[in-house]
Amino acid sequence: MIETLQVALGGLTGHKLRSGLTILGLMIGVGSVIVLISVGTGSSDAVQSQIDALGSNVLLVTSTPTLGGLRRAATSSTQLTVADADALQNQFEAPDVESVSPVVSANGVTLASNTTTYSPSSFIGTTPSYEQARSYTMAEGSWFTSADLQNHNRVLVVGPEVVTELLGGQDPVGETVQVNGTDYEIIGVTAPKGSNGTMNQDDVAIAPLTAVQDTLTGYGSVNQIVVQAKSRQQLNAAQTEVTDILNQLIPPTPGSTSTSNFNVINQSSILQTSASSSKVFTTLLGEVAAISLLVAGIGVMNIMLVSVTERTREIGIRKAVGARRSDILTQFLVEAVLLSFLGGIAGVVAGIVGSQFKIAGVQPVIAPYSIALAFGAAVLIGLFFGTYPAGRAASMRPIEALRFE
């Protein structure tokens, strides 16, 4: 076997440029498979992280469902209220619900500290359970408590971007800022979370619901209700329970084509849709890359056919001195597989290096299976496309091979 490898290496090094170009083609094919699958995986992970940033096992309830791309104007009778949120915390009717957080959003809010003013992209009032439901963690200070909610305490939790813009990055905990002219005390700063696709979660100010209603929005409806299920497996059951309770409290408008006056967004459904789309996207990218690998395989066959033609007299001499058909077959198959092996190794290295850089704004994430898949496919392609030239060489009659000019 060692002698066969030596002969194969001799055959490849005898035509360095031709062998190098064939290896280059295989390297491009294998590298493309790894990089493009990594792009698909990276894109999927990015979407997954954005969805996870919505919170842990979350349902979002709003009072204005989307119908054919248009939002139906909601009347006062179809607005969600704090009472609706309280009804969803009934452990007998909603045993799969862990927590419920009513949310009000205040628009046009300006924070002021000394001579500096800043308007965060989002200013909301909610309850303490919102912290866990939205998967917030604290970088400094603490979240507000149930006592703060009950006592209408004007305290504030802010995102790191608000701290940078309003206070220049100085320690904010304990500082008093004016919110549209009303004093609020900053008691905590959230850890950086980035964007969830619809909102910059670092550019946010969060206060107790009662304080926000007292000073900014007034009492009445809430913008949305954040419902946290006890586990991801219980999300669908929690959605059914929430829908049943709200349908009793807010029955569908007579004559409306909609089955309800509210919309429940299920995080699990978003995840499933995202996973399905990402799988199709990654598969398409892999198939496109596989075409280049197939073209490289044709290149292997081409170079082996040329090699067989050039070495016809050598084949005849070897057969004349006793080489068997299997010896010739093995020799050329080993050459083809060796080409593919070298091209596969080079392609894996190129693919790993190429996956370290952002592509079209996506940070590729290498999928281990793609390396094994691409490398294995390259070796099998060498074996497959090398079989015909090797068989052609092995089937030559010695007398005809020796006469070849």
Side-chain angles (χ1 to χ4, degrees):
M1 186 63 185
I2 295 177
E3 182 182 351
T4 303
L5 282 172
Q6 290 174 340
V7 172
L9 280 172
L12 297 181
T13 55
H15 301 87
K16 293 184 178 66
L17 179 60
R18 192 166 66 191
S19 299
L21 290 174
T22 304
I23 291 173
L24 178 62
L26 285 164
M27 181 186 76
I28 292 173
V30 171
S32 297
V33 170
I34 295 173
V35 169
L36 291 183
I37 290 179
S38 297
V39 169
T41 304
S43 176
S44 176
D45 287 356
V47 173
Q48 176 79 42
S49 64
Q50 286 187 344
I51 294 173
D52 288 342
L54 290 172
S56 176
N57 313 321
V58 162
L59 299 170
L60 299 179
V61 185
T62 61
S63 60
T64 51
T66 300
L67 297 175
L70 299 176
R71 296 175 70 87
R72 185 180 67 239
T75 64
S76 59
S77 62
T78 61
Q79 291 292 310
L80 295 172
T81 65
V82 174
D84 296 328
D86 292 339
L88 298 179
Q89 299 185 72
N90 187 322
Q91 290 300 303
F92 294 101
E93 294 188 32
D96 296 291
V97 171
E98 176 69 22
S99 68
V100 179
S101 307
V103 177
V104 293
S105 298
N107 299 318
V109 174
T110 300
L111 308 183
S113 176
N114 297 324
T115 58
T116 305
T117 60
Y118 180 68
S119 296
S121 61
S122 179
F123 191 104
I124 65 174
T126 185
T127 58
S129 58
Y130 187 82
E131 176 189 15
Q132 181 182 357
R134 285 295 201 177
S135 300
Y136 276 105
T137 55
M138 303 304 296
E140 297 180 58
S142 61
W143 198 269
F144 54 84
T145 64
S146 297
D148 291 321
L149 181 70
Q150 293 171 1
N151 296 329
H152 297 231
N153 291 342
R154 295 170 186 178
V155 292
L156 200 60
V157 174
V158 296
E161 190 167 325
V162 176
V163 174
T164 301
E165 297 292 338
L166 183 64
L167 301 170
Q170 70 183 46
D171 185 7
V173 177
E175 291 289 324
T176 298
V177 297
Q178 287 72 49
V179 179
N180 283 7
T182 302
D183 288 347
Y184 274 73
E185 180 188 354
I186 297 177
I187 61 170
V189 180
T190 62
K193 288 188 68 175
S195 172
N196 63 8
T198 60
M199 180 181 75
N200 182 354
Q201 298 180 103
D202 295 336
D203 187 25
V204 63
I206 306 169
L209 176 68
T210 49
V212 174
Q213 289 177 322
D214 285 342
T215 60
L216 296 171
T217 65
Y219 287 82
S221 63
V222 297
N223 296 89
Q224 66 176 3
I225 300 174
V226 177
V227 180
Q228 183 183 28
K230 291 183 176 179
S231 70
R232 181 163 292 182
Q233 291 72 30
Q234 293 171 276
L235 260 177
N236 291 334
Q239 181 179 9
T240 300
E241 293 159 6
V242 167
T243 302
D244 289 343
I245 292 172
L246 291 180
N247 272 331
Q248 295 176 26
L249 298 172
I250 314 171
T253 303
S256 171
T257 57
S258 176
T259 58
S260 62
N261 285 328
F262 55 88
N263 189 35
V264 181
I265 301 173
N266 188 329
Q267 184 190 48
S268 177
S269 299
I270 299 175
L271 284 170
Q272 291 174 1
T273 302
S274 170
S276 177
S277 300
S278 297
K279 185 177 180 180
V280 172
F281 177 63
T282 303
T283 300
L284 287 175
L285 287 178
E287 289 175 351
V288 169
I291 294 175
S292 63
L293 197 54
L294 179 63
V295 172
I298 296 173
V300 171
M301 176 182 282
N302 180 57
I303 189 176
M304 293 309 299
L305 284 172
V306 172
S307 181
V308 168
T309 302
E310 289 181 345
R311 296 160 65 185
T312 299
R313 287 182 63 82
E314 175 193 331
I315 295 168
I317 292 171
R318 291 194 63 190
K319 281 201 167 187
V321 297
R324 295 168 298 177
R325 173 187 173 91
S326 60
D327 295 331
I328 305 298
L329 182 67
T330 301
Q331 175 189 339
F332 284 92
L333 271 180
V334 169
E335 284 190 29
V337 172
L338 188 58
L339 269 175
S340 300
F341 181 83
L342 294 174
I345 291 292
V348 168
V349 173
I352 292 175
V353 172
S355 297
Q356 305 308 309
F357 305 95
K358 281 191 175 183
I359 299 174
V362 176
Q363 179 60 57
V365 175
I366 296 176
Y369 78 87
S370 67
I371 295 177
L373 176 66
F375 180 76
V379 174
L380 288 175
I381 278 176
L383 185 63
F384 177 78
F385 284 100
T387 299
Y388 174 72
R392 182 175 176 181
S395 63
M396 286 185 179
R397 297 176 60 186
I399 188 65
E400 293 177 355
L402 288 170
R403 287 176 180 172
F404 185 81
E405 294 294 338

